[in-house]
Amino acid sequence: MSIDQSTAARVAKLARIKVEDDQLPALAGEFSAILGFIEQLGEVDVEGVEPMVSVTPMRLKRRTDGVTDGDQQAKVLSNAPDAREGFFAVPKVVE
């Protein structure tokens, strides 16, 4: 797949990257090379290959999925500039 200069300029604008007009041909060439590599990856036969997390066989650590309150209310509120009755106290902003 080939990327032209107008498409490269549009991608640069969407990515909020400032690219000078004289650098657009090089950027379009780099985009084309990246897309060419991705097309090569699409040609690889992966039929029957299991997805993997790592190149070394390992099992992910598991933990029980339990909901708790954290039991750290005092610790969390110790950083608050103003805490009252177990909650953060903030100044009133609406009259």
Side-chain angles (χ1 to χ4, degrees):
M1 178 176 218
S2 180
I3 300 292
D4 60 353
Q5 292 183 25
S6 63
T7 304
R10 186 166 185 265
V11 170
K13 181 181 177 188
L14 290 172
R16 306 285 195 266
I17 299 171
K18 183 178 180 181
V19 179
E20 301 297 330
D21 290 337
D22 60 334
Q23 295 176 341
L24 281 175
L27 182 64
E30 289 179 25
F31 284 158
S32 294
I34 291 169
L35 290 177
F37 181 70
I38 292 172
E39 286 176 353
Q40 284 181 354
L41 290 176
E43 296 172 2
V44 176
D45 180 24
V46 292
E47 189 68 32
V49 177
E50 291 288 324
M52 59 185 195
V53 176
S54 174
V55 294
T56 57
M58 66 172 59
R59 181 139 170 90
L60 294 176
K61 296 178 182 175
R62 308 223 183 250
R63 64 174 174 80
T64 57
D65 191 14
V67 178
T68 66
D69 66 351
D71 197 30
Q72 297 184 3
Q73 182 181 20
K75 243 188 218 182
V76 171
L77 291 177
S78 68
N79 293 324
D82 188 11
R84 298 181 200 150
E85 300 175 15
F87 297 98
F88 289 101
V90 296
K92 185 176 180 181
V93 292
V94 178
E95 294 292 328

